[in-house]
C-alpha cells in the first residue's frame, strides 16, 4: 500500500502523462527546428514536466528556471505574484518557451509573460501541462497544452498541497471523503 492510496485519487496516470509529453515534444521539435530554444521552467511545480518534456525535444536547447510564488501553501490564490528566484541569463534574442504546471486563473502567467516580454526575446510562447479553463480570469494564449481539466485541486507530478505530494508519478485529486 502506497502512502497516498487513501488521500489521492488518480486523474492522469504516469502512462498518460508520458504519452502526451512525447507528443508535445515532437511538435515543439518541429516548430523550433533551426532556432535557439530556451525552456524556462517555473519552479517548483513544473520541474517534472520540464525535465520529461526536455528529454522529448530533439533540439540543442538550453534550460533556465524561474521561481514564482502565487500560492501561500493552501488551495486558494492570493492574487499576488512574486519572483522568488530570477533567471541567471539574458533572454534577449532567444526563442523562449515558458513551461508551467497548470494555468488556473491565468494571473501568474499574465504577470510572467509581461515580465519576460520586457527582456526582448525573439519569441515568447507558453507550454502548460494542465489548464483549468473554468477558472480563467484572464485570457492566456497557450501554444502547447497537455490536458484540459475540470475545476478540481490536483496534486502530483510536481504539483503540491502544502509542499507535499509533488513526488507522485501521476496527477491526482485530493480525496475529500
Ligand atoms: P494561476 O495564477 O493561474 O491562478 O495559478 C497558477 C499557479 O497556481 C500554478 O502554477 C500552481 O502553482 C497553482 N495552482 C493552481 N491550481 C492548482 C491545483 O489544482 N493544484 C496545485 N497543486 N496548484 C495549483
Amino acid at each position: 500500500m502506497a502512502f497516498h492510496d487513501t488521500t489521492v485519487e488518480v486523474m492522469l496516470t504516469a502512462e498518460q502523462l508520458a504519452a502526451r509529453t512525447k507528443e508535445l515534444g515532437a511538435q515543439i521539435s518541429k516548430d523550433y527546428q533551426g532556432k535557439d530554444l530556451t525552456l524556462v521552467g517555473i519552479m517548483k511545480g513544473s520541474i517534472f514536466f520540464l525535465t520529461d518534456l526536455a528529454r522529448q525535444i530533439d533540439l540543442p536547447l538550453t534550460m533556465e528556471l524561474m521561481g514564482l510564488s502565487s500560492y501561500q501553501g493552501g488551495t486558494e490564490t492570493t492574487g499576488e505574484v512574486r519572483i522568488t528566484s530570477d533567471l541567471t541569463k539574458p533572454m534577449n534574442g532567444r526563442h523562449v518557451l515558458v513551461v508551467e504546471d497548470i494555468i488556473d486563473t491565468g494571473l501568474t502567467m499574465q504577470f510572467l509573460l509581461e515580465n519576460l516580454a520586457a527582456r526582448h526575446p525573439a519569441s515568447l510562447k507558453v507550454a502548460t501541462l494542465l489548464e483549468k479553463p473554468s477558472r480563467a480570469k484572464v485570457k492566456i494564449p497557450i501554444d502547447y497544452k497537455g490536458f484540459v481539466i475540470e475545476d478540481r485541486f490536483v496534486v502530483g507530478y510536481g504539483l503540491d498541497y502544502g509542499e507535499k505530494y509533488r513526488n507522485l508519478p501521476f496527477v491526482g485529486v485530493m480525496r475529500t471523503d
Side-chain angles (χ1 to χ4, degrees):
M1 172 140 174
F3 84 94
H4 50 77
D5 280 352
T6 54
T7 47
V8 185
E9 190 183 325
V10 178
M11 180 190 258
L12 297 163
T13 65
E15 291 72 26
Q16 287 175 297
L17 295 172
R20 186 72 188 118
T21 303
K22 192 170 178 181
E23 288 174 357
L24 292 175
Q27 187 62 50
I28 292 166
S29 306
K30 235 197 233 167
D31 295 351
Y32 286 90
Q33 194 71 50
K35 293 181 176 162
D36 277 335
L37 172 63
T38 296
L39 301 181
V40 173
I42 307 308
M43 295 190 285
K44 301 171 198 168
S46 83
I47 54 175
F48 292 83
F49 179 47
L50 174 72
T51 55
D52 283 345
L53 182 65
R55 282 177 285 184
Q56 296 297 337
I57 300 174
D58 184 20
L59 292 174
L61 56 78
T62 61
M63 291 166 75
E64 290 287 320
L65 290 168
M66 198 161 169
L68 292 184
S69 161
S70 56
Y71 273 65
Q72 302 299 326
T75 61
E76 282 301 309
T77 182
T78 61
E80 187 195 318
V81 184
R82 283 181 302 127
I83 296 179
T84 53
S85 168
D86 205 353
L87 300 174
T88 56
K89 300 257 176 9
M91 291 295 114
N92 189 8
R94 300 206 56 93
H95 291 276
V96 172
L97 179 59
V98 180
V99 180
E100 181 59 299
D101 52 359
I102 185 165
I103 297 182
D104 186 24
T105 62
L107 293 172
T108 305
M109 190 54 76
Q110 184 183 47
F111 168 88
L112 185 62
L113 290 176
E114 278 171 18
N115 185 285
L116 289 175
R119 304 179 199 216
H120 306 293
S123 70
L124 182 56
K125 288 189 175 183
V126 175
T128 186
L129 178 67
L130 306 172
E131 184 197 15
K132 276 189 212 169
S134 59
R135 297 253 308 163
K137 286 192 179 152
V138 286
K139 179 95 193 88
I140 301 292
I142 302 174
D143 303 282
Y144 306 97
K145 192 186 305 184
F147 301 88
V148 173
I149 62 168
E150 52 185 270
D151 183 13
R152 308 285 297 280
F153 188 80
V154 289
V155 296
Y157 197 61
L159 290 146
D160 75 309
Y161 176 62
E163 288 301 324
K164 299 212 174 87
Y165 298 98
R166 292 192 198 276
N167 60 322
L168 301 184
F170 57 87
V171 171
V173 180
M174 299 296 298
R175 286 184 201 274
T176 48
D177 50 359

